[in-house]
Amino acid sequence: MASIQKRTRNGRVSYSVNYRDPAGRSRRKVFARKVDAQRWMADNETARNVGDWVDPAAGRDRLGDWAERWFRTTLDLKPGTRRTYRQLLDNQVLPHFGAATLAGVDRLAVREWVAGMVDGGLSPSRIRNAHQVLAQVFTAAVEGGRLARNPAAGVRLPKRVDREMLFLDAGQVERLADAIGPHYRVLVYFLAYTGLRFGETVALKVKRLDLLRGACEVVESATEVGSQLEWGTTKTDERRTVRLPRFLCDLLAAHLADQPRDLDALVFTAPMGGPLRERKFLHGQLKPAARRAGLPATLRAHDLRHTAASLLIRQGASVKAVQAQLGHKSAVVTLDRYGHLWPDELEDLAERLDRARAAAVAAEVSPQRRPSVVPIRKGAGQ
């Protein structure tokens, strides 16, 4: 049976929890406050009874060392995601917690860390991502038997502030295409009318186009990681086929007519050849063209993907159709991002319910629908 012993040394009071581990060995853990000792003793007894006990000494590993072990297991992640994790470790997690032991970080310490990032002006999305990385490090420690629980779990985080999406209408797309350099004109139409991610467009090869059927197969993506392009599967690791409007098929046919007839060639390239780079396209072409066209200077390549979703919805596309075209993992993602673009049906539905009820009332009072009356004979039922 565990017990707490109060001790005083050199005028300092401490509280020693004396207990036995599952193997029956006597152990001791010291706390500065009695309430902490009581709480730990209760948790320790519960963990021992349900088989979740973890040796407190196991948490003496440095968090920095454990974080590096965890990071080496993330090779299955996409290169861009892995690079972001590395940046978060180096800039947010390790400078604060790297020298601490795993067991030496409690939930309050994590909350203080989050508060410090908020006070330092770090964006909510960056803070949430940094917390996610720290939580994964602690999850690995729990799975590795170093900790009984994840101290980062349940910590309140700042609300994410989503960047406002920009949608162009068809006329604005025309103005943008006319204002941009001739080499990129078809690219603007392609992004705005297909909804492909920029990385998917960069990696698109001629053999993936079927202009007679008006179809485009999306199989791979090229993502900028630092100064390098990393080639791989799409964001959701799934291939899909998107439909192309006839005018775009005609533009693509003319665009490809002057290029070598190599099925493995890229559909869109830089002016001097080679794959497109999003940053160069954004700052060298898209933003200057937006200014010339009288469009917002904040326009990004990804806003043309939002534009494609908006154009589809305005033409009556269903949630599932937009999901399939844009390559979202589920219709929930589509609704979360673009649900506000679908027309509000509530007012129309109320009117239709009024008409349905009026028709029902009219049918009930019409002569042919009057209930038949059967006369009751005198004395019946007596």
Side-chain angles (χ1 to χ4, degrees):
M1 186 70 178
S3 62
I4 298 176
Q5 181 181 3
K6 180 178 179 181
R7 305 177 64 182
T8 304
R9 285 187 178 179
N10 300 324
R12 300 183 62 180
V13 177
S14 63
Y15 297 87
S16 175
V17 179
N18 302 300
Y19 66 100
R20 292 185 180 274
D21 64 21
R25 293 187 294 266
S26 296
R27 290 176 175 266
R28 185 182 66 170
K29 188 171 178 64
V30 180
F31 296 87
R33 299 192 310 165
K34 184 176 182 179
V35 64
D36 294 332
Q38 291 172 328
R39 184 182 296 114
W40 185 89
M41 184 176 70
D43 291 345
N44 186 65
E45 287 294 301
T46 300
R48 194 183 71 165
N49 292 336
V50 300
D52 289 339
W53 189 82
V54 174
D55 187 347
R60 293 175 182 169
D61 291 354
R62 286 179 68 254
L63 188 145
D65 296 335
W66 196 261
E68 296 299 339
R69 290 186 61 186
W70 165 79
F71 185 74
R72 287 194 291 271
T73 68
T74 63
L75 292 174
D76 60 319
L77 296 176
K78 290 188 178 298
T81 302
R82 196 162 188 265
R83 179 172 181 264
T84 299
Y85 280 8
R86 183 72 259 176
Q87 291 173 337
L88 291 166
L89 277 175
D90 292 341
N91 298 325
Q92 274 76 47
V93 176
L94 296 182
H96 193 89
F97 291 119
T101 63
L102 291 169
V105 180
D106 57 16
R107 183 171 297 180
L108 180 59
V110 178
R111 289 175 57 188
E112 290 171 337
W113 171 64
V114 170
M117 289 190 289
V118 172
D119 190 53
L122 205 62
S123 70
S125 60
R126 191 71 174 179
I127 293 172
R128 295 176 75 94
N129 291 338
H131 173 268
Q132 179 186 6
V133 168
L134 179 65
Q136 289 189 56
V137 172
F138 280 130
T139 295
V142 172
E143 294 172 348
R146 297 300 193 274
L147 293 175
R149 62 177 58 83
N150 188 333
V155 172
R156 173 177 280 185
L157 301 172
K159 291 184 178 180
R160 191 187 304 274
V161 180
D162 293 328
R163 183 170 182 173
E164 186 175 357
M165 290 182 284
L166 178 60
F167 306 95
L168 304 183
D169 58 32
Q172 290 172 320
V173 173
E174 291 297 320
R175 284 158 47 194
L176 181 64
D178 289 341
I180 206 165
H183 184 80
Y184 298 99
R185 186 167 183 267
V186 180
L187 174 62
V188 167
Y189 283 121
F190 187 85
L191 292 170
Y193 281 91
T194 64
L196 264 68
R197 300 175 179 91
F198 195 85
E200 295 170 342
T201 304
V202 169
L204 183 64
K205 296 177 180 177
V206 174
K207 65 182 179 183
R208 305 298 182 189
L209 294 176
D210 187 340
L211 300 183
L212 293 179
R213 290 180 54 242
C216 169
E217 189 179 23
V218 186
V219 177
E220 52 198 333
S221 181
T223 306
E224 287 188 46
V225 179
S227 60
Q228 302 296 320
L229 275 179
E230 297 285 347
W231 301 76
T233 58
T234 63
K235 184 175 181 179
T236 59
D237 295 316
E238 296 177 352
R239 63 174 60 200
R240 69 186 189 280
T241 299
V242 303
R243 309 304 302 185
L244 307 175
R246 177 48 52 191
F247 88 89
L248 185 55
C249 292
D250 295 340
L251 288 175
L252 285 167
H255 172 75
L256 296 173
D258 298 330
Q259 296 189 17
R261 296 181 177 274
D262 181 1
L263 294 181
D264 283 317
L266 297 174
V267 175
F268 300 102
T269 63
M272 301 303 293
L276 290 167
R277 294 302 187 97
E278 185 172 6
R279 293 177 185 174
K280 289 185 177 180
F281 170 68
L282 175 65
H283 297 289
Q285 299 294 329
L286 189 62
K287 285 187 175 294
R291 287 193 293 270
R292 290 192 293 269
L295 299 174
T298 57
L299 184 70
R300 304 166 301 157
H302 201 74
D303 290 320
L304 296 180
R305 175 171 164 84
H306 297 324
T307 294
S310 174
L311 293 173
L312 287 169
I313 293 169
R314 290 180 185 179
Q315 297 306 312
S318 67
V319 174
K320 293 297 291 184
V322 176
Q323 175 201 347
Q325 183 81 2
L326 270 63
H328 288 154
K329 195 72 173 178
S330 71
V332 174
V333 176
T334 308
L335 279 172
D336 283 346
R337 295 186 182 177
Y338 305 116
H340 62 288
L341 297 180
W342 268 275
D344 187 355
E345 300 180 60
L346 293 180
E347 184 175 345
D348 182 54
L349 283 173
E351 294 178 358
R352 285 156 58 185
L353 287 173
D354 269 335
R355 292 195 295 269
R357 195 259 177 179
V361 170
E364 285 297 321
V365 301
S366 62
Q368 64 270 26
R369 291 293 303 276
R370 288 183 181 278
S372 56
V373 178
V374 179
I376 301 176
R377 290 177 297 163
K378 196 171 184 179
Q382 294 181 357

